[in-house]
Amino acid sequence: MAPMADAWLSGTRSSYDTDASGYAEKVRGLLGARPYLRASLTLFAELVQGAGGGPVADVGCGPGYVTGYLHDAGVDVFGIDLSPEMVAIARRDYPGLRFEVGTMTDLDLADDSVVGIVAFCSVIHVPDHAIPGVFEQFHRVLRPQGLLLVGFHVGDETRHTSEGYTGRPINVDSHHRRPSKIMDWLRDAQFTIEAELVIGPDEDVPGAVIFARSDA
């Protein structure tokens, strides 16, 4: 692995390990307060089930709240996260579900092994040079016509965070991107875009979700 990749990966992992409890508390109840995010996940679940179901990976699952929501919606879902502390919290809070430590830059999953992937506000920590490889990993593990849901912050800047929700020092970058940029990367990785939704376009930091299908 290149030294640059090592630096951002290790920085992100250690930051979330340090701030895991604070982050988990911050996102508790998030989906209840965000109807458009919730509706996107509900639609994702319906599309997966409509296609016959199968295993779904929540990549960058954090404390597991999206994994838990999809499970309650009837999806055969498991979570993967870079941070062992996040995975420990997810296992504690959702003891009936499967969570694994792993990285989206090198997914420990077989080719064509999942019918869906959710990456909710996890690719925001991946620098531009590494995004194409991440989306290639998603395409590799998805079955043909598998469904991908990517959620991210909208903008043209990178924000650095040096203090976590617990007040302890962390070192993590969040890359805000235009949907058109994400969609270009997805098309380059052999995905077809199905839908794009920008949430809160008048807010300081809008959000967006993109639904895409893996080409055969």
Side-chain angles (χ1 to χ4, degrees):
M1 187 179 294
M4 194 183 303
D6 267 342
W8 72 264
L9 274 173
S10 61
T12 303
R13 179 189 290 114
S14 62
S15 294
Y16 274 100
D17 278 346
T18 297
D19 205 35
S21 61
Y23 181 84
E25 195 58 39
K26 176 72 175 177
V27 299
R28 195 179 307 278
L30 174 71
L31 292 177
R34 300 287 180 90
Y36 296 102
L37 289 182
R38 196 168 66 245
S40 297
L41 290 170
T42 300
L43 175 58
F44 177 89
E46 291 176 358
L47 291 170
V48 166
Q49 291 164 330
V56 167
D58 178 10
V59 179
C61 65
Y65 68 101
V66 169
T67 322
Y69 185 89
L70 289 173
H71 171 75
D72 290 344
V75 176
D76 176 16
V77 62
F78 62 97
I80 301 170
D81 199 85
L82 185 63
S83 162
E85 291 298 325
M86 282 292 192
V87 168
I89 289 173
R91 289 171 174 166
R92 179 199 71 194
D93 290 352
Y94 304 93
L97 302 184
R98 178 162 64 99
F99 296 95
E100 304 168 356
V101 177
T103 170
M104 65 179 71
T105 58
D106 187 18
L107 289 170
D108 188 19
L109 297 172
D111 295 358
D112 303 333
S113 60
V114 296
V115 300
I117 290 176
V118 173
F120 238 49
C121 279
S122 50
V123 300
I124 64 170
H125 299 307
V126 182
D128 283 6
H129 74 268
I131 285 280
V134 166
F135 287 167
E136 286 167 10
Q137 284 287 307
F138 289 176
H139 188 273
R140 177 183 67 79
V141 304
L142 274 169
R143 296 175 190 171
Q145 296 304 301
L147 186 64
L148 171 64
L149 175 58
V150 181
F152 55 97
H153 300 325
V154 176
D156 298 294
E157 64 178 347
T158 294
R159 294 192 179 185
H160 181 75
T161 304
S162 56
E163 182 179 308
Y165 295 112
T166 55
R168 286 181 285 181
I170 61 173
N171 177 31
V172 68
D173 288 332
S174 298
H175 306 279
H176 300 186
R177 297 172 170 121
R178 296 292 166 186
S180 57
K181 192 170 187 178
I182 296 289
M183 288 189 285
D184 284 345
W185 275 321
L186 287 169
R187 292 184 181 107
D188 287 344
Q190 301 180 65
F191 283 93
T192 298
I193 309 302
E194 292 207 334
E196 167 206 352
L197 172 65
V198 175
I199 302 167
D202 292 336
E203 294 177 5
D204 177 42
V205 181
V209 294
I210 290 173
F211 288 79
R213 291 268 179 200
S214 171
D215 297 343

